[in-house]
Amino acid sequence: LSRVAVLGPERPESQVEISLTGARVLGVEVSVRLSGDIRDTPGIRLWGERGEVTLARGLVAAKRHIHMTPRAAQLQGVKHGDLVRLQCLTARPLIFEDVAVRVSDKFATYAHLDFDEAFSLISIIQHRLDRRLSARMISSRAAAPFSARKAR
């Protein structure tokens, strides 16, 4: 794979998050995991202009998740570890199921999707460049949307 992004923050153990398509290209099987959950995962060798590193474990496909500030989580009526549905509000609506909520005062509120998931929205984004792509969380327990008030 080329043009790989290296991101922080630093973790106790290094890990590499790839899409399921990337895993197929590499010919490896990976588990869908939350960041940091690298037990029983395959390793990988990375190399580039500045050298190389070999990880004995830590190759995963990142589970879709939403980073939230404590205040944003409180407003949405969710807590760290909850699973929600994320609905993209476009001309061609799309709902991502099983989205993990991660809450920390070190986070900005932001949904994290991998490239495969993001590419499913590309045609929507390309046809709606003049409009902002927006999304809302809807409860995994009910179809009612969250609002700025506590969830029902």
Side-chain angles (χ1 to χ4, degrees):
L1 300 176
S2 61
R3 299 187 324 173
V4 174
V6 177
L7 307 172
E10 289 186 31
R11 299 183 180 280
E13 284 190 81
S14 294
Q15 67 182 39
V16 174
E17 296 178 355
I18 62 174
S19 68
L20 294 176
T21 299
R24 181 171 292 155
V25 167
L26 293 174
V28 295
E29 288 189 33
V30 294
S31 299
V32 176
R33 307 272 183 102
L34 284 172
S35 295
D37 181 6
I38 61 171
R39 71 186 186 293
D40 302 322
T41 59
I44 189 168
R45 180 176 157 242
L46 307 170
W47 67 92
E49 297 173 0
R50 298 180 134 187
E52 70 178 64
V53 64
T54 300
L55 302 178
R57 65 182 188 161
L59 183 63
V60 299
K63 180 178 179 66
R64 66 182 71 106
H65 59 282
I66 302 173
H67 284 177
M68 300 185 87
T69 63
R71 177 73 178 137
Q74 179 184 29
L75 287 172
Q76 294 296 330
V78 297
K79 64 185 182 317
H80 186 82
D82 281 354
L83 295 176
V84 297
R85 298 161 75 199
L86 182 67
Q87 180 180 19
C88 297
L89 304 174
T90 66
R92 297 176 62 193
L94 180 64
I95 296 175
F96 290 104
E97 302 280 346
D98 200 30
V99 180
V101 174
R102 304 194 93 179
V103 179
S104 171
D105 58 3
K106 296 179 182 178
F107 293 157
T109 300
Y110 200 81
H112 291 250
L113 305 174
D114 74 14
F115 282 109
D116 292 343
E117 294 163 331
F119 285 149
S120 68
L121 296 169
I122 282 182
S123 64
I124 297 167
I125 294 168
Q126 287 177 337
H127 289 97
R128 297 178 59 89
L129 289 175
D130 58 356
R131 301 183 82 109
R132 184 174 174 203
L133 179 67
S134 61
R136 67 177 176 170
M137 274 193 321
I138 55 178
S139 170
S140 61
R141 295 173 295 280
F146 282 95
S147 68
R149 299 180 303 278
K150 187 170 177 141
R152 293 178 228 182

